[in-house]
Amino acid sequence: MKKSEIRNKFKLICENKRLSKRTIEVYSCYLEMFLRSFSDVRNVNQWEIRKHLSDIDSLSQYKQTVGSLRILYRDVLVQSKKIGRIKYPKKIKKLPNVISRQEVQDLLRASTSNLKHNTIISLLYNSGLRISELLNLRPQNID
């Protein structure tokens, strides 16, 4: 199968899967980079695929490349064993940065001259509101 046939079949399958136009564009871009890396993608082994993926720095690019390669090997070339063990990486969960009690007390002391700022800081701290929730707060929301 020629690379042009692969590209056409890939796009058709993406459209049949009802992927958005933007997703098809992005997946096609990553497919194109993969096609340029190898002369014959049908003969690429799993190690070469993993090597190609290891050169990607961004988590989102990695996921999009894996998505495009899954369509390529499962649907276009019908060689799902080559991509079967390659998984999407899990998103790293970060704990939020929490300020200490002393820092909260310092903020409250620093804002005593401005009643509005002092009220905002107290409300955020005591209620656990997010900034976006505070910004959307209206007088009629307050009991």
Side-chain angles (χ1 to χ4, degrees):
M1 184 180 291
K2 295 179 184 176
K3 287 184 179 183
S4 60
E5 293 171 340
I6 290 172
R7 285 184 199 98
N8 292 336
K9 189 172 179 183
F10 180 87
K11 188 173 181 182
L12 183 66
I13 288 170
C14 287
E15 289 169 351
N16 287 340
K17 287 181 176 279
R18 297 184 182 265
L19 299 178
S20 72
K21 287 184 181 183
R22 181 67 185 138
T23 301
I24 294 171
E25 288 173 14
V26 171
Y27 278 17
S28 296
C29 176
Y30 291 116
L31 172 70
E32 195 59 41
M33 287 192 293
F34 189 74
L35 290 175
R36 276 189 258 134
S37 298
F38 301 99
S39 57
D40 187 3
V41 292
R42 291 172 297 177
N43 296 327
V44 172
N45 61 38
Q46 201 172 62
W47 183 87
E48 291 170 313
I49 294 171
R50 288 184 188 277
K51 173 66 176 112
H52 178 79
L53 291 170
S54 70
D55 295 335
I56 300 170
D57 296 329
S58 165
L59 181 64
S60 64
Q61 288 178 347
Y62 184 93
K63 287 180 176 182
Q64 291 167 334
T65 304
V66 170
S68 65
L69 293 179
R70 283 186 175 186
I71 292 171
L72 172 67
Y73 282 106
R74 286 185 180 167
D75 302 323
V76 176
L77 300 175
V78 194
Q79 297 177 341
S80 58
K81 286 184 180 180
K82 290 186 179 182
I83 197 76
R85 293 185 181 223
I86 297 174
K87 306 287 183 207
Y88 288 108
K90 293 184 178 179
K91 186 175 183 179
I92 299 168
K93 294 181 181 178
K94 296 181 188 176
L95 291 175
N97 293 331
V98 180
I99 62 175
S100 69
R101 275 191 186 167
Q102 184 61 45
E103 291 170 317
V104 172
Q105 290 171 351
D106 292 344
L107 276 172
L108 289 169
R109 261 189 245 111
S111 66
T112 54
S113 62
N114 188 322
L115 181 60
K116 176 182 166 186
H117 293 162
N118 191 279
T119 304
I120 289 171
I121 292 168
S122 296
L123 183 61
L124 285 171
Y125 180 70
N126 291 316
S127 67
L129 286 177
R130 296 181 179 104
I131 299 280
S132 62
E133 294 169 332
L134 176 76
L135 293 172
N136 291 323
L137 197 60
R138 301 289 170 247
Q140 60 266 24
N141 301 128
I142 300 170
D143 183 8

